[in-house]
Amino acid sequence: RKEVEQDPGPFNVPEGATVAFNCTYSNSASQSFFWYRQDCRKEPKLLMSVYSSGNEDGRFTAQLNRASQYISLLIRDSKLSDSATYLCVVNGDSGYSTLTFGKGTMLLVSP
Amino acid sequence: DTGVSQDPRHKITKRGQNVTFRCDPISEHNRLYWYRQTLGQGPEFLTYFQNEAQLEKSRLLSDRFSAERPKGSFSTLEIQRTEQGDSAMYLCASSSKSYAGSSYNEQFFGPGTRLTVL
């Protein structure tokens, strides 16, 4: 089983749609969880951390289910500028200082 | 610009040559990380430093790879006897826990060095 698994997509949605991405992780000892965003041929940038209680930042909501080892990201009212690859990230098997990235889920928002 | 910088941005080399990349982290960050990213994959961890000490290496970091951070500031990643399989984007990131509420895991990435081995 891969350490962090994501549906690669692409998810094609119209502007204004709500879209949800899911991610599963294999290391039950993982302590920290994140969503990063990566635009084409650019570096990854932190979108938001994911907390056990769930957290929201504007149109973005992240949820964590430790029992199921499952993380989600919900984007409401999609904008064209949301088109990117969304990377699910957990602190890695090799130590709590390193991050393990999923392959990413591509989102394409169309007019 | 006070972000992470990397040099060069692009490098094309012939198989068997040695290459060296440089990363300058955000100045107050004491941790520096190297990742490799290939097309369609997420970044894969290679190694990290806390100040000048190299604390962890991935099994991906073969003997042909070496990284240094001699003064705890900038870092270099050298690949000896490059192979076509080394072609990838090499990303550097930095982090710090220097302020309340921050986390070492909030890493800030540089623009990367894209390596092409012919």
Side-chain angles (χ1 to χ4, degrees):
Chain A
R1 181 181 175 183
K2 293 187 188 298
E3 294 179 54
V4 180
E5 292 202 59
Q6 296 181 251
D7 181 342
F11 283 56
N12 289 283
V13 303
E15 269 187 294
T18 295
V19 61
F21 306 138
N22 303 318
C23 164
T24 57
Y25 61 95
S26 61
N27 183 1
S28 59
S30 295
Q31 295 293 320
S32 303
F33 309 90
F34 308 90
W35 285 100
Y36 274 70
R37 170 193 168 129
Q38 187 170 27
D39 292 296
C40 188
R41 303 182 77 84
K42 299 285 191 181
E43 72 273 21
K45 293 185 178 178
L46 179 66
L47 178 66
M48 58 197 304
S49 300
V50 187
Y51 303 117
S52 296
S53 55
N55 48 302
E56 188 174 310
D57 183 2
R59 298 181 293 108
F60 298 83
T61 300
Q63 297 278 354
L64 168 65
N65 184 321
R66 285 186 184 270
S68 301
Q69 295 180 208
Y70 172 96
I71 306 163
S72 66
L73 177 68
L74 183 76
I75 305 176
R76 291 180 298 279
D77 188 24
S78 299
K79 311 291 185 192
L80 295 177
S81 57
D82 293 335
S83 296
T85 295
Y86 291 83
L87 298 162
C88 178
V89 187
V90 306
N91 64 344
D93 282 344
S94 57
Y96 294 120
S97 298
T98 64
L99 300 179
T100 299
F101 287 76
K103 291 186 178 183
T105 298
M106 183 181 291
L107 172 65
L108 300 171
V109 182
S110 54
Chain B
D1 185 355
T2 57
V4 178
S5 62
Q6 293 187 245
D7 183 69
R9 296 290 303 277
H10 303 273
K11 178 70 177 179
I12 299 174
T13 191
K14 292 182 179 178
R15 189 177 52 189
Q17 298 294 304
N18 299 345
V19 294
T20 300
F21 310 141
R22 176 178 171 128
C23 170
D24 287 87
I26 294 171
S27 60
E28 63 269 25
H29 285 185
N30 57 355
R31 287 197 176 178
L32 185 149
Y33 309 80
W34 285 99
Y35 292 85
R36 180 179 72 185
Q37 186 174 25
T38 53
L39 195 63
Q41 304 292 321
E44 296 173 294
F45 169 75
L46 293 178
T47 189
Y48 93 92
F49 294 83
Q50 179 157 318
N51 301 312
E52 66 276 7
Q54 188 172 16
L55 295 187
E56 199 164 342
K57 297 182 193 180
S58 160
R59 62 186 180 279
L60 294 175
L61 210 68
S62 76
D63 291 345
R64 296 184 299 104
F65 288 70
S66 62
E68 294 182 343
R69 194 183 184 197
K71 297 181 181 178
S73 56
F74 73 92
S75 175
T76 58
L77 177 68
E78 181 183 18
I79 309 174
Q80 296 183 325
R81 304 181 304 281
T82 52
E83 302 172 355
Q84 288 184 323
D86 297 332
S87 295
M89 175 75 87
Y90 289 84
L91 291 161
C92 175
S94 69
S95 69
S96 176
K97 200 175 182 180
S98 59
Y99 57 93
S102 71
S103 163
Y104 271 123
N105 284 322
E106 293 181 25
Q107 298 181 15
F108 297 84
F109 283 81
T113 295
R114 185 171 297 280
L115 172 66
T116 302
V117 182
L118 302 175

